[in-house]
């Protein structure tokens, strides 16, 4: 992500385009759900969202709100900070792999 000095609006638009974070979250969510042997439908019910929305989160087609993030962490029985930390690690690994391929 490139930070420009044109104002906060430019920085936000760059952040919105950072797909690697969204994909890293999707991958982490899917991995943790699978490790707990939960279906998307079961996890969605625990979180209080529709199964289709959960599927879109796992496909990196949607971004969760903070409220949904907290509900997901609760359903997965992990602190939100741990979940987000794992996402950050996954994103760094993904970015490093992408850079090494170029």
């Amino acid at each position: 992500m490139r930070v420009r000095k044109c104002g906060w609006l430019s920085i936000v638009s760059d952040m919105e385009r950072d797909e690697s974070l969204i994909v890293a979250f999707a991958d982490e969510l899917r991995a943790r759900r699978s490790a707990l042997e939960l279906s998307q439908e079961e996890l969605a019910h625990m979180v209080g969202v529709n199964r289709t929305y959960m599927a879109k989160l796992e496909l990196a087609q949607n971004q969760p709100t903070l409220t949904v993030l907290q509900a997901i962490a609760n359903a997965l029985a992990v602190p939100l900070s741990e979940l987000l930390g794992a996402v950050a690690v996954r994103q760094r690994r993904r970015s490093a792999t992408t850079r090494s391929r170029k």
Side-chain angles (χ1 to χ4, degrees), residues 51-70:
R51 190 214 48 89
T52 342
Y53 179 73
M54 188 61 63
K56 287 183 177 185
L57 289 177
E58 288 190 6
L59 293 171
Q61 294 175 350
N62 275 9
Q63 297 180 50
T65 63
L66 287 173
T67 306
V68 171
L69 273 175
Q70 183 63 65

Side-chain angles (χ1 to χ4, degrees), residues 27-56:
D27 292 345
E28 188 66 24
L29 176 60
R30 188 178 319 104
R32 287 181 181 255
R33 178 184 58 75
S34 295
L36 293 174
E37 298 181 351
L38 293 171
S39 68
Q40 284 181 344
E41 188 169 2
E42 290 168 325
L43 182 58
H45 178 72
M46 293 167 71
V47 171
V49 298
N50 189 292
R51 190 214 48 89
T52 342
Y53 179 73
M54 188 61 63
K56 287 183 177 185

